[in-house]
Amino acid sequence: MPLRFVGLFCVILAGYLFLHSSTEELPADQLLQHLQHQPESSLLKPTVLINILARNAQHSLPYFLGCIERLDYPKERISLWAASDHSVDNSTALLQEWLRGVQHLYHSVEWRPVEQPSFYADELGPKHWPVSRFTQVMKLKQAALTAARRLWTDYVLFVDSDNLLTNSQVLSEMIAENLTIVAPMLESKSLYSNFWCGVTPQGYYRRTPEYIPIRKWKRKGCFAVPMVHSTYLLDLRRTASRSLAFHPPHPDYPYDVDDIMAFAFSARQAGVQMFVCNKDHYGYLPGPLKQDQTLEAEEESFTHTLTEALIAFTMEPSQYVHTVPKEPGKMGFDEIYLINLKRRSDRRDRMLSTLAVLGINATLTEAVDGTALNSSQLQAMGVDMLPGYKDPYSGRVLTRGEIGCFLSHYNIWKQVVQQELQQVLLLEDDVKFEPSFGSRLVTIMENVKRVGLVWDLIYVGRKRLQVKEPELWVKGVRNLVHPHYSYWTLGYVLSLNGAKKLLKANPLNKMLPVDEFLPVMFNKHPKEEYMQYFEQRDLEVFSVEPLLLFPTHYTGEPGYISDTETSTIWDDETVDTDWDREGARRRSEKETGGVGFPPVAPHSAHGGVPRLSAGDNRDEL
């Protein structure tokens, strides 16, 4: 018998034995039921094309691409369509390097580089948008849309190359909304976001009362809006999506040449409603720049966006591109100290990452953990509370946490004197930085030196308390004021002479919180009974205005933890001091409509300040 017939006979025999052994004894109705109960396999995820356009985006691409890599979505269901054009920086090479590194992970990659020319003939600068630039962007987005249709992808995700999608579920969550065009609401330093709630007759942005409640999460959900831009998802399975286009614009398009306006008009003509979704926090985008601003300004703006994202997320650049970190510097200071509790590794890691992004070289200084100090240790150090001191909000006495905070600053003051450092910057580990922090602070310090201002301490971040008179500007120095009674030691510049004055006051045996001690030393504390214990109160103190540092979290916000408030009282380890945390949370929600946003006080030197009530917490703004 030929060999192939032997093989066929074996297959038939095996099938016969299998069927008879597994089903021969089952009645016909049970056999049918058995076959009907076989589970179906799960559905594959919809296919998505991600559109990436890069121009002069070298500063943002590593982190932007890192976010794309971290999307929790099967990469084999994603196609990439990328283009670069008219760049004077290394955007094209960097994007090409990334595509080569990841192409084996994704379903397909299409690459459209245009290296020359590096500018548009009619543009006045890299941030100027002439008609030729708008037209080119519209053509590129149309090419990506055409590619998605050609590949029969279910969706196309348009995302600007300086947007940071920090929520790895954003793609899945937007698909789940089952809408033709939906944008995840992105955050920025200001109220700026990637949607409009109103449009002028000329097709431009119009301010409406509906915008802020959505932007501030006072209303949560998916909302019909006339415009989404920067980052949005388009469902190509919808029949109406066939009519959507960037270029050429719709025949009836009446507005100026603009990619987002042309697409929004196309959607309206096709009867497609745009939506923005704020059910969760999805990511960040930088605010818009003026047309005469530089690429350096754009990089600083993105850097600030990145530091904002770092408050809540670990932001790593793509592993598939080579990046050169900024050369860290000390901004003209002899030393920059970062104070951090050893057990607060979360804050330490965030701050070190943030400082690296900002190009700031800081010395990590281990804070004194007041909760670990016992009464014998305090007595050996000569620590005693200022007679009669009570917290102005809770009425409690000094806490161990406040003692640890004071000693942390005190130890640095001693180092400054011992090493004869002329000027240093102290930073606590729970701060966030204002845009252009480094350049703005350097400019202020240069102006201080230029006019020969005599100073001991300059607040960089603080909580300005109620004053009857406005704080006065310092003559000859922009952005510097004479401060009144203030709280917080988020960050301040200290001179050698200032450190000597603070130590000379011998504060350990009459201790009060460090942010109460400083106003005493420049003779601005409202309680005379505190100041009488310190004879020399001639500390020359100024404050940056507007402030350059703020807390990462305020009382009542998710993520707020106070290592000074959450402690025990200074002379009794059995008495806890987690004072009115729930009350602070309830007040915050009541004041902001239940969304947990802190009320923001004006920081203008001539602006008003909120009145402090007896129920407030000293850590609240």
Side-chain angles (χ1 to χ4, degrees):
M1 181 182 294
L3 188 60
R4 62 178 180 272
F5 291 113
V6 173
L8 179 61
F9 175 80
C10 291
V11 169
I12 294 172
L13 179 61
Y16 176 84
L17 293 174
F18 172 79
L19 288 173
H20 280 71
S21 62
S22 58
T23 62
E24 186 175 36
E25 298 181 3
L26 289 175
D29 58 340
Q30 292 186 24
L31 176 60
L32 181 60
Q33 185 179 13
H34 171 75
L35 294 174
Q36 288 176 340
H37 285 179
Q38 294 297 316
E40 293 287 342
S41 61
S42 60
L43 293 173
L44 294 171
K45 289 273 192 179
T47 55
V48 181
L49 181 140
I50 298 180
N51 170 230
I52 302 171
L53 302 182
R55 187 198 181 198
N56 295 324
Q58 176 181 332
H59 57 279
S60 62
L61 275 173
Y63 291 95
F64 163 79
L65 297 172
C67 290
I68 297 298
E69 292 169 20
R70 289 188 291 273
L71 291 175
D72 188 10
Y73 201 87
K75 289 180 171 55
E76 67 273 12
R77 306 294 289 173
I78 296 176
S79 296
L80 299 174
W81 194 99
S84 66
D85 74 296
H86 297 80
S87 291
V88 297
D89 67 3
N90 202 37
S91 294
T92 300
L94 195 151
L95 187 51
Q96 186 174 28
E97 178 188 5
W98 182 75
L99 292 171
R100 285 174 175 169
V102 302
Q103 62 182 349
H104 67 286
L105 302 173
Y106 292 90
H107 177 268
S108 65
V109 170
E110 188 168 344
W111 172 224
R112 296 279 193 92
V114 178
E115 296 193 48
Q116 294 296 330
S118 59
F119 58 90
Y120 292 90
D122 54 345
E123 72 177 3
L124 303 178
K127 299 311 298 175
H128 178 225
W129 280 81
V131 170
S132 59
R133 182 174 180 183
F134 275 119
T135 302
Q136 174 68 0
V137 169
M138 291 164 68
K139 288 180 177 179
L140 289 173
K141 289 185 176 180
Q142 183 64 43
L145 182 56
T146 301
R149 288 166 173 158
R150 184 183 69 248
L151 292 170
W152 294 98
T153 61
D154 298 311
Y155 294 87
V156 56
L157 177 68
F158 293 96
V159 52
D160 286 356
S161 58
D162 58 0
N163 290 190
L164 298 173
L165 301 181
T166 52
N167 187 331
S168 63
Q169 300 296 322
V170 61
L171 188 50
S172 295
E173 291 185 17
M174 292 303 101
I175 290 174
E177 294 300 333
N178 201 28
L179 297 167
T180 306
I181 301 176
V182 60
M185 189 185 79
L186 303 182
E187 306 165 46
S188 72
K189 163 69 178 174
S190 64
L191 290 174
Y192 179 73
S193 187
N194 58 323
F195 70 99
W196 300 355
C197 281
V199 176
T200 68
Q202 295 75 34
Y204 289 101
Y205 171 79
R206 179 170 64 86
R207 184 176 297 176
T208 64
E210 293 82 12
Y211 182 86
I212 290 179
I214 296 173
R215 174 63 183 84
K216 288 190 171 183
W217 292 276
K218 290 182 179 180
R219 296 178 62 204
K220 284 189 174 184
C222 284
F223 304 94
V225 293
M227 169 71 77
V228 295
H229 59 87
S230 300
T231 294
Y232 52 92
L233 185 71
L234 169 60
D235 187 348
L236 295 180
R237 302 171 305 169
R238 305 284 181 176
T239 304
S241 73
R242 298 175 182 175
S243 302
L244 300 177
F246 291 93
H247 191 273
H250 190 278
D252 297 330
Y253 180 69
Y255 308 133
D256 292 337
V257 177
D258 183 295
D259 59 310
I260 66 173
M261 289 163 56
F263 188 69
F265 184 84
S266 172
R268 287 195 294 274
Q269 294 301 107
V272 174
Q273 178 63 60
M274 292 180 162
F275 289 84
V276 65
C277 184
N278 70 349
K279 293 180 180 179
D280 203 344
H281 293 258
Y282 299 109
Y284 299 80
L285 80 170
L289 297 179
K290 297 178 180 178
Q291 294 198 3
D292 61 350
Q293 289 188 272
T294 64
L295 291 179
E296 289 75 19
E298 183 175 31
E299 182 174 355
E300 284 210 349
S301 175
F302 175 79
T303 296
H304 178 260
T305 301
L306 183 56
T307 64
E308 291 285 295
L310 280 165
I311 293 172
F313 299 94
T314 300
M315 299 296 300
E316 295 290 341
S318 168
Q319 60 179 311
Y320 295 98
V321 296
H322 174 70
T323 57
V324 179
K326 287 184 179 179
E327 186 67 31
K330 294 191 180 293
M331 302 164 52
F333 298 106
D334 295 318
E335 190 57 88
I336 299 176
Y337 294 99
L338 171 60
I339 303 172
N340 168 257
L341 279 171
K342 187 175 183 179
R343 58 183 166 88
R344 295 308 302 270
S345 60
D346 55 335
R347 290 183 176 180
R348 179 169 61 252
D349 293 344
R350 183 195 71 82
M351 278 295 290
L352 290 176
S353 296
T354 300
L355 292 171
V357 166
L358 294 172
I360 296 175
N361 181 12
T363 297
L364 185 63
T365 303
E366 186 175 336
V368 176
D369 193 343
T371 60
L373 297 174
N374 57 43
S375 300
S376 299
Q377 290 171 310
L378 295 178
Q379 186 175 7
M381 288 186 286
V383 172
D384 200 353
M385 189 181 75
L386 183 81
Y389 171 75
K390 287 187 178 180
D391 181 86
Y393 302 101
S394 64
R396 58 157 174 78
V397 296
L398 198 67
T399 71
R400 294 286 176 91
E402 288 169 334
I403 291 175
C405 180
F406 194 110
L407 291 173
S408 301
H409 287 263
Y410 183 85
N411 289 342
I412 292 177
W413 303 340
K414 288 198 301 183
Q415 286 186 47
V416 171
V417 173
Q418 290 166 358
Q419 299 176 28
E420 296 187 340
L421 304 176
Q422 297 304 306
Q423 60 179 30
V424 300
L425 174 63
L426 283 77
L427 298 171
E428 293 187 340
D429 64 359
D430 56 348
V431 301
K432 61 179 180 179
F433 299 83
E434 285 293 276
S436 305
F437 168 82
S439 59
R440 291 165 69 183
L441 183 55
V442 166
T443 298
I444 290 171
M445 296 308 297
E446 288 175 348
N447 289 337
V448 165
K449 183 178 181 180
R450 176 180 52 81
V451 302
L453 184 68
V454 177
W455 63 277
D456 295 320
L457 184 147
I458 299 175
Y459 283 109
V460 184
R462 62 180 173 130
K463 176 182 180 180
R464 182 181 175 221
L465 301 180
Q466 182 188 2
V467 292
K468 295 180 179 179
E469 299 295 331
E471 296 179 335
L472 301 178
W473 296 102
V474 176
K475 292 182 179 179
V477 183
R478 293 187 61 186
N479 305 119
L480 205 66
V481 297
H482 298 274
H484 289 279
Y485 180 41
S486 302
Y487 267 168
W488 297 343
T489 50
L490 302 172
Y492 58 90
V493 180
L494 183 66
S495 71
L496 174 59
N497 193 53
K500 288 179 178 178
K501 288 182 180 181
L502 294 172
L503 295 176
K504 189 177 179 181
N506 296 317
L508 297 190
N509 62 359
K510 44 196 172 188
M511 187 180 289
L512 69 169
V514 65
D515 58 351
E516 296 264 27
F517 172 62
L518 293 182
V520 167
M521 291 300 292
F522 61 92
N523 207 36
K524 292 292 185 179
H525 201 288
K527 287 187 175 288
E528 291 288 342
E529 58 267 35
Y530 294 174
M531 294 202 292
Q532 67 177 336
Y533 289 95
F534 300 92
E535 186 174 344
Q536 296 293 326
R537 301 190 299 274
D538 58 351
L539 197 69
E540 295 288 348
V541 175
F542 303 92
S543 176
V544 168
E545 182 63 42
L547 298 170
L548 297 179
L549 294 173
F550 289 91
T552 55
H553 300 87
Y554 293 93
T555 305
E557 282 188 330
Y560 171 80
I561 298 175
S562 172
D563 292 308
T564 55
E565 296 285 333
T566 309
S567 182
T568 60
I569 65 173
W570 81 282
D571 58 351
D572 191 341
E573 302 170 31
T574 65
V575 180
D576 294 330
T577 59
D578 189 5
W579 297 101
D580 198 25
R581 178 70 54 74
E582 286 302 303
R585 181 186 61 80
R586 287 192 297 271
R587 284 194 300 277
S588 176
E589 291 183 353
K590 182 179 179 181
E591 291 168 343
T592 59
V595 295
F597 277 82
V600 178
H603 0 101
S604 168
H606 300 284
V609 293
R611 176 175 292 276
L612 295 173
S613 67
D616 286 336
N617 184 296
R618 73 193 309 268
D619 278 351
E620 286 186 291
L621 181 64

